[in-house]
Amino acid sequence: MKASGIALYVVLLLAVAEPLVFAAGGCVMSELLPCASAIASGTPPSVECCTNLKQQQPCFCQYLKDPSSKQYVNSPNAMKVARACGVSIPTNC
């Protein structure tokens, strides 16, 4: 799948996941939208992406437990973006 196709997939996934507000307060999957292009293309993440990742970090286990968001958060490029931002994605939730 080409990078543009992956980016479209990520945007569509986030559009569907937008209503998913998790009980932990402030866990909104669409907050990760600024990271979509970096994840899809493998380019360095923006400052906004890193800021949002850091704010959403407490939500990662919840995102990983949800089938609609797990493949987005757990993808190899998402892991690279997280490392570039200095954020760790848990492997054990």
Side-chain angles (χ1 to χ4, degrees), residues 55-77:
Q55 291 172 346
Q56 293 292 304
Q57 189 171 8
C59 305
F60 288 165
C61 277
Q62 292 173 6
Y63 295 154
L64 289 168
K65 291 177 183 176
D66 184 294
S68 66
S69 59
K70 181 179 180 174
Q71 62 189 12
Y72 173 70
V73 176
N74 205 29
S75 72
N77 277 352

Side-chain angles (χ1 to χ4, degrees), residues 20-75:
L20 299 174
V21 178
F22 293 93
C27 294
V28 181
M29 187 71 179
S30 64
E31 290 295 316
L32 301 179
L33 189 57
C35 300
S37 64
I39 291 170
S41 65
T43 59
S46 67
V47 171
E48 181 182 15
C49 168
C50 290
T51 298
N52 287 10
L53 272 178
K54 289 174 184 172
Q55 291 172 346
Q56 293 292 304
Q57 189 171 8
C59 305
F60 288 165
C61 277
Q62 292 173 6
Y63 295 154
L64 289 168
K65 291 177 183 176
D66 184 294
S68 66
S69 59
K70 181 179 180 174
Q71 62 189 12
Y72 173 70
V73 176
N74 205 29
S75 72

